Amino acid sequence: MLAGMAEPVLYEERDGIAVVTLNRPGKLNTLNEAVIQGIADAIERATASAAVSAVVLRGAGRAFSAGYDLDPGADGVPWPRRFDAPHPEPRPGAWDPVRDLQFMGHNMRRFMTLWECPKPVIAQVHGYALGGATDLLLCADLIFMAEDAIIGYPPSRIYGTPTTMLWVYRLGLEHAKQFLLSGDQIDAPTAYRIGLVSHVYPAEELSERTEAYARRFRNIPANQLALNKLLINQAFENMGLRTTQLLGTLFDGITRHTEEALRWVESFREVGFRETIRRRDAPFGDYGERPREGQR
């Protein structure tokens, strides 16, 4: 990390819980290498701490996370290479699916540290949790949501498929198709109705109520929590979760290298990042294009 830059992920222990905070508020906590590795390191730290019974994952500023950082700007740091081997010089625009799978698979495995942590992990969602942030979010054990927050996977419309692919396991067939085929946003009442989140609270109460719930786990033996979590998770892994994640990660790479996707990325330079996103969502009237209060 460059000198003078804020830590991309903050870690604090208090009252028996570890609070892990995504800390790029000026970029809506968009995910880059430093943030994803910081999350994995924080979960490992919480797992090893004798003082921690549960983990709360949250975002600083206006949002939980707006997803992957597709507009890193001048301070963007390249993603590290995860795989290499002898190969010919690739022609312009060539895509290597193995390199891509290793790169995105590494991110997916780090998101899954929430799933694999033997301690309960509660995700605390305010503002937005979009795109790749839902790949992270759905790995948590419980999700608590502010009543004005939005969850969604807009890359369903172009440029992505979910890598951790927990949508179908958490929602079932009908609602997984409803929101992944369309990319439609999910508001808090809908998220609660379809079983995507456990609790919805007023935004000003979200942090206090989430931490209060997490502190309850201090009253249950750690080995009891770990075994029950493992048992529940194993049921879903027996349904083919890991195979689905392999396909989701591979398909994600494919969707980012179609002709449509390549032209979509080129439009960042032609009309700008915000306008490109606006055009994607305008036909659906959601996310940045959703009507404001007093509008239709």
Side-chain angles (χ1 to χ4, degrees), residues 36-251:
I36 295 174
Q37 187 58 49
I39 293 167
D41 290 343
I43 295 298
E44 181 178 6
R45 183 174 174 183
T47 299
S49 174
V52 170
S53 296
V55 181
V56 172
L57 178 68
R58 66 185 188 183
R62 296 188 294 119
F64 176 80
S65 172
Y68 276 101
D69 191 348
L70 300 181
D71 186 29
D75 63 344
V77 177
W79 295 92
R81 179 175 291 177
R82 299 300 308 173
F83 170 84
D84 209 348
H87 62 276
E89 185 65 25
R91 67 190 66 193
W95 171 58
D96 188 326
V98 174
R99 285 187 177 83
D100 196 284
L101 181 62
Q102 290 297 316
F103 152 57
M104 286 303 295
H106 183 52
N107 293 343
M108 182 270 291
R109 288 187 291 273
R110 288 182 289 182
F111 293 157
M112 284 291 283
T113 59
L114 277 63
W115 176 270
E116 294 160 354
C117 176
K119 299 176 181 180
V121 179
I122 304 176
Q124 174 185 307
V125 179
H126 76 290
Y128 285 103
L130 305 180
T134 65
D135 290 332
L136 168 69
L137 175 69
L138 298 185
C139 292
D141 300 307
L142 301 171
I143 302 170
F144 292 2
M145 189 175 182
E147 61 186 9
D148 59 353
I150 295 293
I151 296 173
Y153 197 81
S156 286
R157 296 169 182 169
I158 191 166
Y159 211 67
T161 60
T163 57
T164 59
M165 198 40 211
L166 280 150
W167 289 88
V168 70
Y169 298 97
R170 299 190 76 130
L171 291 182
L173 180 66
E174 187 73 19
H175 291 311
K177 285 190 174 183
Q178 178 184 0
F179 292 106
L180 288 185
L181 292 180
S182 66
D184 286 349
Q185 70 177 25
I186 307 171
D187 59 23
T190 303
Y192 183 76
R193 174 178 58 82
I194 65 178
L196 182 61
V197 303
S198 299
H199 292 283
V200 172
Y201 297 120
E204 65 274 13
E205 299 177 13
L206 178 64
S207 182
E208 180 182 354
R209 300 284 289 270
T210 302
E211 291 185 28
Y213 191 100
R215 286 194 295 270
R216 296 172 51 185
F217 290 118
R218 296 179 300 180
N219 302 303
I220 301 174
N223 52 18
Q224 188 76 15
L225 290 169
L227 290 171
N228 275 314
K229 177 172 176 175
L230 182 61
L231 180 61
I232 296 167
N233 286 2
Q234 194 60 51
F236 287 90
E237 299 208 18
N238 289 344
M239 296 181 208
L241 173 61
R242 300 289 179 167
T243 301
T244 306
Q245 290 179 335
L246 173 62
L247 289 173
T249 305
L250 179 61
F251 288 0

